[in-house]
């Protein structure tokens, strides 16, 4: 029998359901609003700029905001994917970007904005030395060293991850729960979960040569990579015994086939030690060599430790910096980018190749 009491109970039940639905919706909105797009990159290739970032769960799309030099940020594009190519950019100008995700369901709900990224459109060449190093440090502290990472399944050259624009979200996801005991030998050939040394260098080179995926790749055997890139006309190759100094952007390949490795120079210090960036167990990181005389507490080691600790603190707690030995200064051939004249591939309007490691790092991490 229907009674006043049953009416009250029914009404109470409906209210309870509505309150809980409202609460869940509010929680979902709050959770979305707390997120922000990670891994933003902006790299100029000729007069185009590729802007990329990692996806935000639940996003309907993304807004890209742009500022030119000292101008205010304005929304320049709205997309549903996690990258965009912006064309007809002015040579010599520096462009700044950030991204915000949104949900669209009658009304708009916005995530937190991403960090900011910047890039300079080259006047000559494909890109710039600064753009190359900005790209090189993008995976630092969020990408594990994986044997075969960046290679194709056949292990003969660049795979899809080394021919992509921007960071793979799988790299950060794989790295997220790894502990200080991480042993890359347990993850050999999980090629989509991280990068090995040559996969990392190949991916970095690809992103200053292209604004779209799956073109010619640049992943080669680590011991041959510098020489191979020089053979493509990117720069001058110098054999290990004739290397005299180290400048920002140099690519260094081991001449020892039994322990091949390849890395990128950030800069050289006054004591002769070198700050570098590479993918080496446990992952992509800044590092410093000893001095030419073998002093371990070198300026480069101190700088790499300082910047890893300050900007990649969680990573540094698990994987503290280790100084790199004298072999790094004696057993590596060098590919130095062409930066001037008709051969210019990466121009250097910022003067990075005339800066010390300390000056380069200060500019890369303002």
């Amino acid at each position: 029998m229907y009674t006043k009491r049953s009416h009250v109970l029914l009404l109470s039940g409906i209210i309870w359901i509505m309150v809980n639905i409202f609460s869940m919706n509010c929680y979902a909105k709050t959770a979305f609003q707390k997120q922000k797009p990670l891994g933003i990159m902006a790299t100029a290739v000729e007069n185009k700029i590729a802007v990329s970032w990692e996806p935000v769960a639940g996003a309907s799309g993304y807004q890209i905001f742009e500022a030119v030099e000292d101008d205010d940020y304005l929304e320049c594009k709205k997309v549903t994917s996690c990258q965009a190519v912006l064309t007809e950019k002015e040579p010599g100008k520096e462009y700044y970007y950030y991204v915000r995700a949104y949900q669209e369901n009658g009304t708009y709900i916005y995530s937190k904005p991403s960090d900011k990224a910047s890039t300079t459109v080259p006047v000559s060449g494909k890109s710039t030395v600064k753009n190359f190093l900005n790209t090189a440090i993008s995976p630092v502290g969020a990408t594990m060293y994986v044997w075969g990472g960046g290679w194709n399944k056949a292990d003969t050259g660049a795979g899809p991850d080394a021919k992509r624009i921007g960071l793979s979200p799988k790299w950060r996801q794989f790295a997220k729960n790894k502990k200080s005991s991480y042993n890359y030998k347990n993850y050999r050939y999980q090629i989509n979960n991280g990068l090995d040394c040559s996969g990392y260098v190949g991916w970095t080179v690809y992103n200053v040569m292209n604004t779209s995926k799956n073109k010619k790749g640049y992943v080669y055997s680590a011991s041959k990579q510098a020489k191979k890139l020089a053979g493509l006309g990117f720069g001058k190759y110098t054999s290990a015994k004739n290397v005299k100094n180290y400048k920002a952007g140099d690519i260094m390949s081991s001449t020892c086939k039994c322990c091949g490795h390849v890395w990128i120079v950030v800069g050289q210090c006054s004591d002769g030690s070198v700050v570098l960036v590479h993918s080496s167990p446990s992952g992509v990181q800044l590092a410093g060599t000893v001095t030419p005389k073998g002093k371990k507490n070198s300026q480069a080691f101190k700088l790499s430790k300082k910047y890893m600790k300050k900007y990649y603190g969680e990573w540094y707690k698990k994987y503290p910096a280790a100084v790199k030995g004298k072999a790094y200064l004696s057993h590596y051939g060098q590919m130095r980018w062409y930066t001037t004249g008709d051969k210019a591939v990466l121009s250097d309007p910022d003067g990075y190749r005339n800066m010390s490691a300390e000056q380069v790092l200060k500019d890369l991490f303002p």
Side-chain angles (χ1 to χ4, degrees), residues 198-210:
S198 49
Y200 160 70
V201 171
W203 171 85
T204 306
V205 172
Y206 189 90
N207 274 266
V208 293
M209 293 291 162
N210 299 283

Side-chain angles (χ1 to χ4, degrees), residues 144-146 174 178-184 187 282-283 319:
M144 306 306 295
Y145 177 87
V146 174
F174 180 75
K178 296 299 176 288
K179 298 180 180 179
S180 58
S181 58
Y182 176 77
N183 186 343
Y184 75 91
Y187 303 94
S282 297
Y319 316 114

Side-chain angles (χ1 to χ4, degrees), residues 4-280:
K4 185 174 182 180
R5 175 179 171 78
S6 63
H7 175 77
V8 171
L9 289 172
L10 177 63
L11 184 60
S12 298
I14 292 171
I15 293 172
W16 182 87
I17 291 170
M18 292 178 66
V19 167
N20 277 272
I21 291 173
F22 179 77
S23 297
M24 286 189 289
N25 285 339
C26 287
Y27 175 79
K29 291 177 184 178
T30 302
F32 179 80
Q33 290 170 325
K34 288 181 178 179
Q35 295 184 84
K36 74 174 186 178
L38 299 174
I40 185 169
M41 287 175 50
T43 305
V45 181
E46 295 176 331
N47 69 338
K48 300 177 182 178
I49 296 176
V51 185
S52 60
W53 57 93
E54 296 171 42
V56 172
S60 303
Y62 303 87
Q63 296 171 297
I64 303 173
F65 294 85
E66 176 187 78
V68 185
E69 302 288 350
D70 296 326
D71 291 345
D72 294 332
Y73 281 93
L74 298 172
E75 182 182 331
C76 67
K77 199 163 189 176
K78 189 177 286 185
V79 295
T80 54
S81 64
C82 289
Q83 65 181 58
V85 178
L86 309 172
T87 60
E88 298 182 4
K89 298 304 178 183
E90 188 175 345
K93 293 283 189 180
E94 188 166 18
Y95 290 79
Y96 297 82
Y97 297 93
Y98 73 86
V99 176
R100 185 171 65 168
Y102 66 85
Q103 284 183 333
E104 184 181 5
N105 187 15
T107 59
Y108 281 92
I109 302 167
Y110 299 99
S111 74
K112 288 183 177 180
S114 70
D115 294 335
K116 293 181 172 65
S118 65
T119 188
T120 300
V121 178
V123 174
S124 62
K126 278 276 190 177
S127 196
T128 72
V129 173
K130 181 177 180 178
N131 290 343
F132 180 64
L133 287 182
N134 259 326
T135 300
I137 63 173
S138 294
V140 171
T143 305
M144 306 306 295
Y145 177 87
V146 174
W147 188 288
W151 288 74
N152 58 25
K153 289 182 179 180
D155 204 29
T156 57
D161 274 352
K163 298 187 293 183
R164 64 174 292 121
I165 300 302
L167 302 166
S168 168
K170 290 183 179 179
W171 299 343
R172 191 184 302 274
Q173 183 180 355
F174 180 75
K176 186 176 181 180
N177 297 317
K178 296 299 176 288
K179 298 180 180 179
S180 58
S181 58
Y182 176 77
N183 186 343
Y184 75 91
K185 294 179 182 179
N186 297 329
Y187 303 94
R188 286 174 179 265
Y189 298 109
Q190 293 188 15
I191 60 176
N192 298 315
N193 287 332
L195 294 168
D196 68 11
C197 60
S198 49
Y200 160 70
V201 171
W203 171 85
T204 306
V205 172
Y206 189 90
N207 274 266
V208 293
M209 293 291 162
N210 299 283
T211 57
S212 59
K213 64 181 181 179
N214 291 332
K215 294 188 176 181
K216 175 181 169 57
Y218 303 103
V219 177
Y220 308 101
S221 168
S223 62
K224 299 176 181 178
Q225 199 161 16
K227 201 168 190 176
K228 285 278 191 180
L229 293 171
L232 293 174
F234 292 169
K236 179 183 177 182
Y237 180 77
T238 302
S239 62
K241 65 180 181 180
N242 292 319
V243 171
K244 296 180 180 178
N245 53 41
Y246 302 85
K247 294 183 181 293
D250 289 350
I251 295 175
M252 310 296 300
S253 276
S254 170
T255 53
C256 178
K257 293 182 181 179
C258 64
C259 53
H261 188 46
V262 61
W263 44 275
I264 297 169
V265 173
V266 174
Q268 189 166 19
C269 300
S270 59
D271 65 357
S273 61
V274 176
V275 176
L276 59 119
V277 59
H278 64 164
S279 185
S280 178

